[in-house]
Amino acid sequence: MENFIVSARKYRPATFRSVVGQSSITTTLQNAIRNNHLAQAFLFCGPRGVGKTTCARILAKTINCVNLTAETEACNECESCKSFNSGQAIDIYELDAASNNSVDDIRNLVDTVRIPPQLSEHNPNARKVYVIDEVHMLSQAAFNAFLKTLEEPPRYAIFILATTERHKILPTILSRCQIFNFNRIQVDDIAEHLAYIAKSENVTADNDALHVIAQKADGALRDACSIFDQVVSFAGNNLDYKSVIDNLNILDYDYFFRVTDHILKSEIPQTLLVYNDILNNGFDGHNFVSSLADHFRNLLVCKDQATLVLLEAGQKIKEKFKDQSSRCDSMMLLRGLSLINKCDTSYKSARNPRLQVEFMLMQLCALNGTQSDEKKNDLREPFSSNPGAEGFLKRSGVPINPEISIPQPVTETKVPVQTVNTNVQQPVTAASGGAVVSSTPVKRTFVRSGGLSGVINQEKKAVSQESAETAQQVGARMENPFTQTILEQVWKEYASWLQSQGKITDYSYFVMNNPVLVNPGLVTFTVHNKMAEERINGDKTTLMGFLREKLRNNVFSLEIILSKEEGEQRLYTIQDKFKRMAEINPSLQKLRQTFDLDLDY
């Protein structure tokens, strides 16, 4: 029985031409060899499994080849190439810095640099090449011992360093090297290389199956080869799409096509049953949510021919995406992505994750339910049917107590008032004080052609039109009197809302003092630092809308006052701070005297 060799080693590239997905780097290295413009030190950095060590070995072999081909490749016939292929190259040294990272290891390497190459008698241009893998693992002392040799090596010495973590290497080392950044390998390039391996191994492989393996590898060709060997051991010489997803425990694309079809038909029961089937097969709910977001993203990029290249999938899967994308509305997909993202961020903190996902699926089905086309295309939260302060507060995210009724606007001006359709969304401005009378309902429509750009342009035009019409609207006055007690109660209610929203810093500012009702038209609030003043003034529009709504008064003003103590503050020294602490806790002074401690400057 022959010894099995993994595909990553058996089909490891041996020439520059066979390197996958790094054509710009290999071309640069070949030109440097051809023109004899080789640097004294190279640094290959990038993610794992993208060809750093492979390119270093190919470069070392090609440098010492006597009979280069016309394509600047090693001939594999000269003495240097034969010794390299057999693993007995005497002028090429490879050091694993992960296990040889001490200063003594580097000193031993530096000592060998002084010896000329053994093949210099037959080849005057022979070089001694040192390949140091995982160079970031060297110790600080080892790096320092290596600096001088790396800066001024002998004419015949070339150093090739490889690492996955460039940020761990000293800047003095980086400045002495010619740096090459290796990129993650594209899915199509990995799938093409796997197809070559499958053909060489007499394995019948489906193109969609190879694309799934390539996506699972995440840009690392070595990982892709390892996954390929694993799946071949499971499925034999007939590699199809189903065997790959079964072995790798990957959610099938078919699940998401079925879920999306049910969402488009607003079939909530069927959607929940598909999700239950997914859970029964052992898949994680969070994995389903993130994969559903990827599915909606893929449908979205299929809406425009220019973004179709962003879809990384096999040809059959691409056709399915195109077909389903043609039946989806762009705005529905955008709103769906927003809902999925909210579910994704709150999944881990939810006490009942399954209910969280099922509720999200029901919301997705509602996007194509009984809503009108106008509401489906609206990306923003719907306004209140009352065109007054409540609508403003809802759009600002401020909670509204349903027990408090909102007074109808009283028309004290000569502006003609017409009945407002409660099914039409009305914009509100802060300057109006909360109550707005509109004689013309605002209707927003979207053109569904032209891909994403067309939808976004129509959205911008609709918002601009609303802003222009809102500026012409007139607000009614509400002058309901209120007392200091009522003001403090409403103020605390707003502070509690800030706390529920996670705005702890803002919450602390609001509970620090109580507002003061100076007169029926002026409320003041004192803060103790400049930052608090800026934070409250920055969110003053929402605050005033809330106060005017709750107090039923839109004619008063709010003034934020910075305490005079702010101007008296100064920078305290270490001695000042310790003195103050000792006044609060005299034991600190006793502790300092007992142990004869000094203040740390």
Side-chain angles (χ1 to χ4, degrees):
M1 182 177 179
E2 296 183 1
N3 292 330
F4 174 73
I5 303 177
V6 296
S7 299
R9 291 183 57 194
K10 187 175 182 180
Y11 295 97
R12 189 170 195 163
T15 61
F16 285 120
R17 184 179 60 182
S18 59
V19 175
V20 179
Q22 309 293 348
S23 58
S24 61
I25 294 177
T26 56
T27 301
T28 303
L29 295 176
Q30 285 179 297
N31 291 338
I33 295 173
R34 185 184 303 113
N35 300 325
N36 196 23
H37 285 172
L38 289 170
Q40 61 192 18
F42 297 90
L43 176 62
F44 294 166
C45 50
R48 70 182 191 282
V50 295
K52 300 184 298 296
T53 306
T54 297
C55 283
R57 292 177 178 177
I58 295 174
L59 177 61
K61 174 184 175 181
T62 309
I63 287 174
N64 281 332
C65 179
V66 179
N67 302 314
L68 292 176
T69 64
E71 294 81 16
T72 320
E73 298 281 5
C75 65
N76 290 321
E77 296 178 357
C78 64
E79 182 179 353
S80 175
C81 290
K82 290 180 180 179
S83 62
F84 180 88
N85 293 337
S86 61
Q88 299 176 352
I90 57 179
D91 289 333
I92 298 176
Y93 299 85
E94 187 167 346
L95 178 69
D96 179 21
S99 55
N100 301 277
N101 56 3
S102 67
V103 65
D104 292 333
D105 295 320
I106 294 299
R107 284 173 180 169
N108 293 335
L109 183 145
V110 171
D111 290 339
T112 63
V113 174
R114 301 192 184 100
I115 304 173
Q118 301 298 313
L119 297 177
S120 59
E121 297 180 359
H122 307 286
N123 181 11
N125 296 324
R127 306 291 181 93
K128 292 187 73 172
V129 183
Y130 295 85
V131 179
I132 305 178
D133 205 1
E134 304 298 338
V135 69
H136 65 274
M137 297 294 290
L138 290 177
S139 64
Q140 180 80 18
F143 271 127
N144 292 333
F146 192 36
L147 278 176
K148 189 62 177 178
T149 303
L150 191 64
E151 182 178 11
E152 297 179 359
R155 179 193 60 83
Y156 50 78
I158 293 180
F159 296 95
I160 306 176
L161 316 180
T163 179
T164 55
E165 301 183 50
R166 171 182 168 179
H167 60 279
K168 291 185 178 181
I169 301 178
L170 295 179
T172 49
I173 295 290
L174 296 176
S175 64
R176 290 165 168 80
C177 299
Q178 195 173 94
I179 302 175
F180 290 87
N181 293 303
F182 285 68
N183 301 318
R184 293 186 182 274
I185 304 176
Q186 298 296 320
V187 171
D188 291 338
D189 293 335
I190 295 178
E192 184 179 351
H193 186 71
L194 293 179
Y196 163 74
I197 296 176
K199 183 178 179 181
S200 302
E201 295 292 327
N202 296 321
V203 175
T204 303
D206 186 11
N207 186 47
D208 290 335
L210 297 180
H211 267 80
V212 172
I213 296 176
Q215 292 175 16
K216 185 73 173 178
D218 193 24
L221 186 58
R222 182 171 60 236
D223 292 2
C225 292
S226 300
I227 296 173
F228 177 82
D229 291 341
Q230 173 186 335
V231 177
V232 169
S233 300
F234 170 77
N237 291 335
N238 188 12
L239 202 63
D240 58 3
Y241 175 77
K242 188 176 186 307
S243 61
V244 171
I245 62 174
D246 288 344
N247 181 258
L248 299 181
N249 196 31
I250 297 175
L251 272 170
D252 189 359
Y253 282 116
D254 184 58
Y255 282 122
F256 302 104
F257 284 117
R258 287 164 54 194
V259 167
T260 306
D261 284 337
H262 292 317
I263 289 174
L264 292 176
K265 298 176 183 178
S266 302
E267 298 174 342
I268 294 179
Q270 290 82 351
T271 305
L272 298 182
L273 288 174
V274 174
Y275 178 57
N276 181 68
D277 187 27
I278 292 173
L279 295 180
N280 290 339
N281 288 333
F283 294 104
D284 179 57
H286 202 182
N287 185 25
F288 166 77
V289 173
S290 60
S291 299
L292 183 62
D294 290 336
H295 186 81
F296 270 52
R297 175 259 183 194
N298 291 337
L299 291 174
L300 202 56
V301 300
C302 287
K303 299 295 289 184
D304 198 315
Q305 190 67 27
T307 57
L308 193 59
V309 294
L310 301 177
L311 180 60
E312 295 180 342
Q315 192 59 38
K316 294 180 182 178
I317 303 297
K318 281 186 178 180
E319 294 299 327
K320 288 185 177 181
F321 272 115
K322 286 190 213 177
D323 177 63
Q324 191 171 74
S325 177
S326 64
R327 294 182 279 114
C328 296
D329 181 65
S330 297
M331 299 310 301
M332 187 278 290
L333 293 175
L334 284 173
R335 296 193 69 184
L337 280 171
S338 177
L339 291 173
I340 297 172
N341 182 60
K342 290 180 181 178
C343 179
D344 186 25
T345 54
S346 59
Y347 183 88
K348 290 186 178 180
S349 61
R351 291 191 175 184
N352 191 343
R354 175 165 183 164
L355 178 61
Q356 186 87 358
V357 178
E358 290 176 338
F359 181 61
M360 178 265 295
L361 292 174
M362 288 186 277
Q363 287 179 309
L364 291 176
C365 291
L367 294 179
N368 279 278
T370 58
Q371 293 179 331
S372 65
D373 289 339
E374 179 180 347
K375 290 185 179 180
K376 282 194 300 182
N377 288 334
D378 193 353
L379 278 174
R380 302 177 303 175
E381 292 294 328
F383 297 169
S384 169
S385 58
N386 187 331
E390 184 176 0
F392 171 79
L393 294 174
K394 280 189 176 182
R395 287 185 291 115
S396 301
V398 181
I400 298 176
N401 188 350
E403 298 179 358
I404 300 178
S405 61
I406 306 298
Q408 296 298 323
V410 180
T411 56
E412 296 183 358
T413 64
K414 297 182 180 181
V415 179
V417 179
Q418 297 183 8
T419 303
V420 179
N421 185 358
T422 58
N423 294 325
V424 179
Q425 302 171 355
Q426 299 292 339
V428 182
T429 61
S432 65
V436 175
V437 179
S438 174
S439 60
T440 305
V442 179
K443 184 175 181 180
R444 304 170 61 188
T445 59
F446 295 91
V447 179
R448 300 187 182 180
S449 62
L452 294 179
S453 58
V455 173
I456 295 173
N457 290 335
Q458 292 296 326
E459 172 72 8
K460 291 180 178 179
K461 292 179 180 178
V463 173
S464 300
Q465 181 181 356
E466 289 182 10
S467 301
E469 295 176 359
T470 301
Q472 300 176 358
Q473 296 175 339
V474 180
R477 294 169 61 88
M478 293 188 296
E479 300 186 36
N480 184 49
F482 56 90
T483 64
Q484 175 70 26
T485 303
I486 296 176
L487 174 62
E488 292 179 3
Q489 181 180 357
V490 173
W491 191 270
K492 291 178 181 178
E493 186 177 344
Y494 184 79
S496 300
W497 175 79
L498 290 175
Q499 186 180 28
S500 67
Q501 297 296 311
K503 301 180 179 181
I504 305 301
T505 303
D506 293 342
Y507 167 77
S508 64
Y509 295 150
F510 277 82
V511 299
M512 191 174 299
N513 284 325
N514 285 324
V516 177
L517 180 60
V518 179
N519 56 59
L522 177 62
V523 175
T524 62
F525 182 67
T526 303
V527 294
H528 298 288
N529 57 72
K530 192 70 175 178
M531 179 176 292
E533 180 187 26
E534 293 176 353
R535 292 291 291 267
I536 296 177
N537 281 327
D539 202 28
K540 194 173 181 180
T541 301
T542 304
L543 172 62
M544 289 299 294
F546 183 86
L547 295 177
R548 287 169 174 170
E549 149 64 17
K550 293 293 185 178
L551 299 173
R552 303 180 186 179
N553 188 313
N554 59 9
V555 297
F556 72 93
S557 60
L558 173 64
E559 182 180 352
I560 308 300
I561 301 175
L562 183 61
S563 174
K564 295 182 179 180
E565 297 178 359
E566 171 68 15
E568 300 174 0
Q569 291 183 3
R570 61 183 179 88
L571 294 176
Y572 293 97
T573 63
I574 297 296
Q575 292 87 345
D576 295 333
K577 294 178 181 178
F578 181 79
K579 182 179 179 181
R580 177 57 178 165
M581 293 170 62
E583 291 176 357
I584 299 174
N585 187 0
S587 299
L588 288 176
Q589 187 67 32
K590 184 178 179 180
L591 177 67
R592 179 186 179 187
Q593 294 174 353
T594 302
F595 292 97
D596 193 21
L597 301 176
D598 293 328
L599 295 179
D600 186 7
Y601 294 92

